């Protein structure tokens, strides 16, 4: 029963119940996320505890769902009447969630929140999450993909470090592939594209954008897997996996942060995984330049409030608290913020003490200002699964790369 309804019931019974005597109604809200990282959860729980201190009747919990299949799990919960109150939403599915009516509008809540300063949240960061002037999610993370490298295993294989190649103007995909092949030949693994695992193929955008490749045309209507830039990029990747062993093949498990590999492509939020005991010499560098030149790729995630959740108004109020300037500054430790006042080396450096000013400037700030967001499309979940099934034929040693990519287009073109 809502507080207002409870008071009406008291009045109907002839009881003059003062407002202070109306008991608070406990309200639990649940946020679905794809991280189970202890450092992330500790920060989220800290923010939630501060909110509960101000709103004792509200309890916030975080539901960590596996990244692989995250969106499918989320939509299944919604369809089953068990929608979370809030959830992280991938950039690849932003269009579907924003246009479907599944998300509650947030603009009025943000504007009404004390000291929120909505104008500080950049329009470019909001663009994926806005429709007809209304905001449907807060872009809590706008994070470029960078390359973490293990200088110890690279030097042990007799190779130059990426920093040395950058200084010489020679940090290219050809050079990176040669380093990783040499490290693999010396007994470690080479390059790990984190969260790819031969399933999340769109994470390969962190490589193929260096060839100027894309899965579909800018208007989203035409499959472009068969165009030469994509054929060249996928041929490069296939050779790196099966001929040069520069990328771990299917079924090979390796963890860069455990010291198993030379390089990994991921975002700065994973810096928290760097070992505190028995650390190795590491660096964070921009993605290598490809045939199309220098480039950057951005992953972006929003937090939306589900209209079908149990407490959408409370959830929206919590989101306004979670994303206010003070908490956005705390979140910047792991997730590059969308607030223009926080996008500078001073703030990001204080939030990320493991990263040097050069790493923050060259990877994070430059990446945000120049990068392209990972590919997304209406109906992406179905497209993603269909393309994934077609690409299975690519992950064998004797694959016919152009033929496999044609089969991808044959299958997904009707969906575009």
């Amino acid at each position: 029963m809502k507080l207002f309804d409870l008071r009406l019931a008291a009045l109907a019974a002839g009881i003059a119940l003062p407002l202070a005597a109306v008991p608070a109604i406990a309200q639990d809200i649940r946020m679905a996320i794809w991280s189970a990282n202890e450092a992330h959860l500790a920060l989220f729980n800290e923010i939630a505890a501060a909110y509960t201190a101000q709103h004792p009747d509200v309890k916030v919990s975080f539901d960590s769902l596996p990244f692989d299949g995250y969106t499918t799990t989320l939509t299944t919960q919604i369809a089953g009447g068990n929608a979370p109150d809030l959830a992280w939403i991938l950039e690849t599915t932003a269009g579907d969630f924003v246009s479907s009516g599944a998300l509650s509008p947030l603009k009025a809540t943000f504007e009404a929140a004390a000291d929120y300063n909505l104008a500080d949240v950049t329009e470019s960061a909001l663009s994926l999450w806005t429709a007809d002037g209304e905001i449907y999610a807060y872009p809590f993370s706008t994070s470029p993909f960078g390359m973490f490298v293990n200088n110890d295993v690279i030097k042990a294989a007799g190779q130059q470090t990426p920093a040395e190649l950058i200084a010489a103007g020679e940090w290219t995909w050809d050079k990176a592939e040669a380093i990783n092949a040499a490290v693999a030949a010396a007994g470690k693994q080479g390059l790990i594209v984190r969260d790819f695992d031969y399933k999340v193929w769109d994470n390969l955008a962190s490589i193929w954008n260096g060839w100027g490749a894309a899965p579909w045309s800018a208007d989203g209507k035409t499959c472009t897997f068969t165009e030469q830039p994509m054929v060249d990029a996928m041929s490069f990747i296939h050779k790196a996996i099966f001929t040069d062993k520069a990328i771990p093949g299917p079924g090979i498990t390796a963890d860069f942060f455990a010291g198993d590999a030379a390089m990994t492509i991921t975002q700065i939020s994973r810096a928290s995984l760097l070992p505190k005991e028995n650390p190795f010499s590491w660096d964070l560098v921009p993605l290598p330049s490809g045939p199309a030149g220098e480039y950057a790729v951005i992953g972006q995630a929003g937090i939306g409030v589900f209209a079908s959740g149990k407490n959408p108004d409370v959830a929206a109020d919590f989101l306004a608290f979670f994303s206010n300037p003070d908490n956005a500054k705390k979140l910047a430790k792991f997730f590059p913020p969308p607030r223009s006042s926080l996008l500078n080396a001073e703030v990001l450096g204080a939030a990320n003490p493991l990263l040097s000013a050069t790493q923050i400037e060259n990877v994070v700030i430059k990446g945000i200002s120049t990068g392209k967001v990972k590919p997304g499309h209406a109906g992406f979940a179905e497209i993603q699964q269909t393309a994934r099934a077609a690409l299975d034929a690519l992950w064998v040693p004797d694959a016919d790369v152009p033929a496999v990519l044609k089969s991808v287009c044959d299958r997904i073109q009707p969906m575009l």
Side-chain angles (χ1 to χ4, degrees):
M1 182 178 287
K2 294 181 179 179
L3 185 147
F4 179 72
D5 295 334
L6 184 62
R7 186 164 177 80
L8 280 181
L11 290 173
I15 302 170
L17 188 65
L19 186 60
V22 177
I25 307 299
Q27 299 175 94
D28 294 347
I29 57 176
R30 174 171 62 96
M31 182 191 293
I33 62 178
W34 60 75
S35 174
N37 182 281
E38 291 182 2
H40 297 173
L41 290 171
L43 176 56
F44 300 157
N45 284 316
E46 175 190 321
I47 295 172
Y51 183 80
T52 297
Q54 298 179 16
H55 306 82
D57 55 331
V58 180
K59 179 182 177 182
V60 183
S61 61
F62 300 95
D63 186 8
S64 297
L65 305 176
F67 183 81
D68 183 26
Y70 173 82
T71 299
T72 301
T73 303
L74 196 58
T75 53
T76 299
Q77 289 186 358
I78 296 168
N82 186 36
D85 297 282
L86 310 92
W88 291 2
I89 299 171
L90 289 161
E91 69 285 285
T92 51
T93 57
D96 284 334
F97 279 102
V98 168
S99 64
S100 67
L103 300 176
S104 293
L106 298 169
K107 188 175 182 180
T109 301
F110 289 160
E111 289 177 336
D115 301 319
Y116 191 82
N117 191 10
L118 181 57
D120 189 39
V121 183
T122 65
E123 289 186 13
S124 60
L126 283 169
S127 61
L128 276 180
W129 315 100
T130 302
D132 300 323
E134 183 56 78
I135 299 169
Y136 290 96
Y138 171 78
F140 79 99
S141 179
T142 300
S143 186
F145 286 83
M147 187 91 83
F148 282 93
V149 301
N150 183 328
N151 287 326
D152 289 342
V153 299
I154 290 171
K155 290 178 179 178
Q159 301 296 303
Q160 288 182 283
T161 65
E164 290 170 333
L165 293 171
I166 289 170
E170 298 177 358
W171 180 229
T172 66
W173 268 114
D174 286 339
K175 293 282 189 178
E177 201 265 357
I179 293 171
N180 286 304
V183 169
K188 293 283 189 178
Q189 296 297 331
L191 168 68
I192 297 170
V193 181
R194 194 168 179 92
D195 297 320
F196 162 51
D197 195 28
Y198 296 90
K199 298 173 184 176
V200 188
W201 55 265
D202 45 293
N203 273 1
L204 293 178
S206 58
I207 299 178
W208 75 47
N209 274 29
W211 278 253
W216 39 73
S217 56
D219 62 9
K221 295 180 180 180
T222 305
C223 177
T224 53
F225 269 96
T226 54
E227 294 190 357
Q228 199 60 48
M230 184 64 84
V231 173
D232 291 343
M234 287 298 205
S235 296
F236 173 87
I237 293 169
H238 188 272
K239 178 176 179 290
I241 297 167
F242 295 104
T243 302
D244 300 333
K245 314 298 182 184
I247 297 175
I252 297 176
T253 301
D255 183 0
F256 170 84
F257 294 100
D260 298 340
M263 305 180 191
T264 189
I265 297 174
T266 190
Q267 294 159 300
I268 68 165
S269 59
R270 304 304 179 95
S272 61
L273 299 177
L274 288 163
K276 297 177 178 60
E277 297 181 4
N278 301 316
F280 51 78
S281 172
W282 63 273
D283 198 357
L284 174 65
V285 298
L287 299 174
S289 62
E294 294 185 358
Y295 69 103
V297 178
I298 295 172
Q300 190 178 62
I303 302 174
V305 171
F306 288 106
S308 60
K310 294 182 177 65
N311 299 297
D313 292 341
V314 176
D317 188 67
F318 171 69
L319 179 55
F321 179 82
F322 189 84
S323 60
N324 68 28
D326 288 341
N327 287 324
K329 190 173 183 178
K330 294 177 182 177
L331 291 166
K333 180 176 182 179
F334 304 114
F335 309 103
R339 291 182 173 274
S340 57
S341 62
L342 301 178
L343 286 175
N344 57 72
E346 181 181 359
V347 170
L348 292 174
N352 299 274
L354 289 176
L355 305 183
S356 69
T358 299
Q359 291 167 340
I360 289 171
E361 184 64 43
N362 291 344
V363 179
V364 184
I365 296 175
K366 185 178 179 181
I368 290 173
S369 62
T370 65
K372 292 183 178 180
V373 178
K374 278 179 58 186
H377 200 285
F380 183 80
E382 185 179 4
I383 295 170
Q384 206 274 348
Q385 291 298 324
T386 301
R388 171 180 165 178
L391 285 168
D392 281 346
L394 188 61
W395 312 129
V396 295
D398 59 349
D400 183 334
V401 176
V404 172
L405 298 182
K406 182 180 183 303
S407 75
V408 175
C409 277
D410 290 343
R411 295 191 195 187
I412 71 170
Q413 182 59 54
M415 301 177 186
L416 303 182

